[in-house]
Structures are given as structure tokens and as C-alpha cells.
């Protein structure tokens, strides 16, 4: 009886369609991401997104032959250069976005402070301005303190409370700076000199923010300048009154002492 030799055949893989389906879904995702990016008018951000996608596909594994990812490049060294450039662009874009966000916060803060000043007729005691260092709120010394003293006067409390309510949402350092005129203190004064008085006044405001309004102490800085930074010449009583002040500055940049230590 003749034997029939049957050829052994490998079983057919019925799940190969999933590879093609997965590729299709991936391409559709890329298509919609690119369409979303193209809907934005910021060409620079679109270029960064394009470089980021290219970088991801260059380093990814692929089932496609003759290439490094779906781009089909056969030059790995070039892909490394692109990845470094892309990461730097992404960092720069993030820094710009953070800076733009901070500027919007400072502009909003300035508008709110100015509106509060106008609503309460405080123009002669309080002023606010956008300076290169940040938003500076200047308070007249006699509005805050009695002559030669550093104890806060009751009328100043609502203003400080209002300012404190605006600070917690800001990612910024608040510098509280005491200033005096150039006249020496009267004999018998509690403070030795203008340095001591300006420091005590700065600390008085800081302690109110810290203990009465529970602001984050990590965001507060106390500084004394005495008569070293006048806003007017100390040649008249009016000008000296301008120089005796406390400035509360919401800083654009964190001071060096507030920066975290760099790693070794």
C-alpha cells in the first residue's frame, strides 16, 4: 500500500492584520497632532513640535526596513544632533512661556493694586508702578509709621491685607525694602541710625505678612537701604518725605539668595 507524503505546512498567522492596523492608528494620531499644530499661528512652536516628533520617531523601534524609525534615515549620528537641538528648543520654549505667564501675572497685579488705590483715594499715601525689577508698591512712611518709629499704624493695615491677598498666587519673591532720608536720627532715638530704622520698618511689614496673613516665608525678603537709594534729592522737606518710604517689590527674577543650590 503506497504511502502519501504530506507536506508539513506552518499554521497561518491570522493576527498579522493587527500590525497594519496599529500602523494606521499611529499615522492617524500623527496626522491629527500635526493638524492641531498647524491650526496655531505660532510658526516657531510648530517647528519645535515637528522636530520633537522627528526625534521620537528617529529613536523609536520600527518594523519598516531600511530606516531608523518612520523617517527612513540611515544616519544615526545626525539623529543625535537633531535630538540635542530639539531638547534645547523645547527648554527655550518652556522658559519663554513661563516668562510670558509671569509678565501677565505682574500686569494683572499692577491693575488690581492701582484700582484699589483709586477706589480708596490713597493716591497721596500709596503708589504702584511697573519697574525693571518688577511691580513696586510704594507706601509713604507717615502712612505706615509715626515719626522715628517702626510700629504699624492702624490705617495701614487694610492696605497691607489687600496686598497680601494678591501675593499667594504669584510665583515670585516679594522684597520689602525700607528707605529713609539723609537726616540723622534725633538724640535719644530707639534706633542707632537710619540703617536700624529702615531695617526695623521693613521687618515690621514682613512680620505682618508672615504672622497676620500667613504668607509663605520662602517668598519674602527684608532689605534695608537707609538713605542710599533716594528717589529725589534730599534738599527740601518735600523731597525728604518722598525718600522716607517702604517699597514692596514683586520681583521678576528671584534674588540669588532665594535660588536653590546647584547640584555638583
Amino acid at each position: 500500500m503506497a504511502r502519501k507524503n504530506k507536506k508539513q505546512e506552518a499554521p497561518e498567522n491570522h493576527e498579522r492584520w493587527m500590525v497594519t492596523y496599529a500602523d494606521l492608528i499611529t499615522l492617524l494620531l500623527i496626522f491629527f497632532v500635526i493638524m492641531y499644530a498647524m491650526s496655531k499661528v505660532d510658526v516657531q512652536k510648530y517647528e519645535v513640535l515637528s522636530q520633537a516628533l522627528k526625534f521620537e520617531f528617529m529613536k523609536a523601534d520600527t518594523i519598516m526596513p531600511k530606516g531608523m524609525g518612520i523617517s527612513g534615515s540611515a544616519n544615526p549620528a545626525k539623529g543625535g544632533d537633531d535630538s540635542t537641538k530639539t531638547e534645547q528648543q523645547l527648554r527655550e520654549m518652556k522658559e519663554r512661556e513661563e516668562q510670558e505667564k509671569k509678565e501677565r501675572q505682574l500686569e494683572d497685579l499692577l491693575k488690581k493694586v492701582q484700582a484699589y488705590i483709586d477706589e480708596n483715594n490713597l493716591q497721596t499715601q500709596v503708589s504702584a508702578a511697573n519697574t525693571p525689577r518688577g511691580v513696586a508698591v510704594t507706601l509713604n512712611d507717615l502712612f505706615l509709621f509715626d515719626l522715628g518709629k517702626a510700629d504699624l499704624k492702624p490705617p495701614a493695615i487694610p492696605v497691607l491685607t489687600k496686598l497680601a491677598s494678591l501675593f499667594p498666587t504669584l510665583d515670585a519673591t516679594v522684597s520689602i525694602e525700607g528707605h529713609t532720608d539723609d537726616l540723622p536720627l534725633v538724640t535719644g532715638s530707639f534706633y542707632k541710625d537710619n540703617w536700624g530704622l529702615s531695617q526695623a520698618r521693613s521687618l515690621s511689614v514682613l512680620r505682618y505678612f508672615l504672622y497676620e496673613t500667613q504668607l509663605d516665608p520662602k517668598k519674602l525678603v527684608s532689605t534695608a537701604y537707609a538713605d542710599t537709594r533716594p528717589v529725589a534729592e534730599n534738599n527740601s522737606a518735600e523731597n525728604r518725605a518722598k525718600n522716607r518710604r517702604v517699597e514692596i517689590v514683586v520681583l521678576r527674577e528671584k534674588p540669588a539668595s532665594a535660588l536653590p543650590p546647584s547640584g555638583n
Side-chain angles (χ1 to χ4, degrees):
M1 184 175 181
R3 291 183 177 180
K4 294 183 180 179
N5 294 326
K6 294 184 179 180
K7 187 178 180 181
Q8 298 294 329
E9 295 180 359
E12 184 177 356
N13 186 355
H14 295 287
E15 296 182 355
R16 293 183 61 187
W17 64 272
M18 294 182 65
V19 177
T20 303
Y21 179 77
D23 287 345
L24 176 61
I25 294 300
T26 302
L27 291 173
L28 284 173
L29 175 61
I30 296 171
F31 172 76
F32 286 117
V33 169
I34 293 176
M35 290 297 292
Y36 174 78
M38 292 177 64
S39 67
K40 302 297 181 180
V41 296
D42 194 330
V43 179
Q44 188 175 14
K45 290 184 179 180
Y46 169 74
E47 178 64 23
V48 172
L49 174 63
S50 175
Q51 291 292 334
L53 288 173
K54 181 179 179 182
F55 167 62
E56 290 298 326
F57 288 124
M58 287 289 289
K59 74 176 184 178
D61 294 333
T62 177
I63 61 172
M64 297 182 180
K66 301 179 182 179
M68 297 287 293
I70 66 168
S71 64
S73 171
N75 188 353
K78 183 177 180 181
D81 294 340
D82 287 345
S83 67
T84 302
K85 181 179 179 181
T86 299
E87 291 174 358
Q88 181 179 357
Q89 288 175 327
L90 291 173
R91 284 196 300 270
E92 292 175 352
M93 183 176 72
K94 183 178 179 180
E95 290 174 358
R96 286 196 300 271
E97 290 177 346
E98 290 177 351
Q99 188 62 35
E100 290 172 358
K101 178 182 177 181
K102 180 172 288 187
E103 288 301 321
R104 290 194 297 269
Q105 289 180 334
L106 291 177
E107 291 174 2
D108 183 60
L109 171 66
L110 180 60
K111 291 178 181 178
K112 290 179 178 179
V113 173
Q114 289 176 333
Y116 179 81
I117 292 172
D118 293 339
E119 291 171 1
N120 293 273
N121 299 317
L122 297 171
Q123 292 85 349
T124 58
Q125 292 91 12
V126 185
S127 63
N130 198 346
T131 72
R133 297 175 61 217
V135 172
V137 181
T138 303
L139 300 101
N140 181 275
D141 74 319
L142 292 180
F143 176 67
L144 292 173
F145 314 102
D146 288 326
L147 188 64
K149 295 184 179 180
D151 298 320
L152 289 171
K153 296 166 68 173
I157 299 302
V159 177
L160 297 179
T161 303
K162 177 62 178 180
L163 291 176
S165 70
L166 302 176
F167 294 156
T169 58
L170 302 176
D171 182 19
T173 300
V174 179
S175 179
I176 305 167
E177 304 170 356
H179 301 265
T180 67
D181 58 27
D182 64 343
L183 294 177
L185 298 181
V186 298
T187 304
S189 173
F190 180 80
Y191 303 100
K192 183 176 180 180
D193 51 26
N194 283 323
W195 288 101
L197 178 61
S198 61
Q199 183 66 75
R201 289 179 167 180
S202 170
L203 286 173
S204 183
V205 175
L206 182 144
R207 289 187 178 109
Y208 180 81
F209 285 151
L210 186 61
Y211 300 127
E212 300 300 328
T213 65
Q214 285 76 48
L215 287 184
D216 185 355
K218 296 179 181 178
K219 293 185 176 182
L220 300 176
V221 176
S222 174
T223 308
Y225 290 112
D227 62 332
T228 61
R229 296 192 179 185
V231 293
E233 292 187 18
N234 286 295
N235 54 10
S236 67
E238 182 179 359
N239 284 348
R240 289 191 178 95
K242 294 178 182 178
N243 292 331
R244 297 191 303 268
R245 67 199 189 278
V246 170
E247 290 185 351
I248 302 173
V249 186
V250 181
L251 300 174
R252 281 188 167 82
E253 304 294 338
K254 291 184 178 181
S257 59
L259 294 176
S262 58
N264 294 328

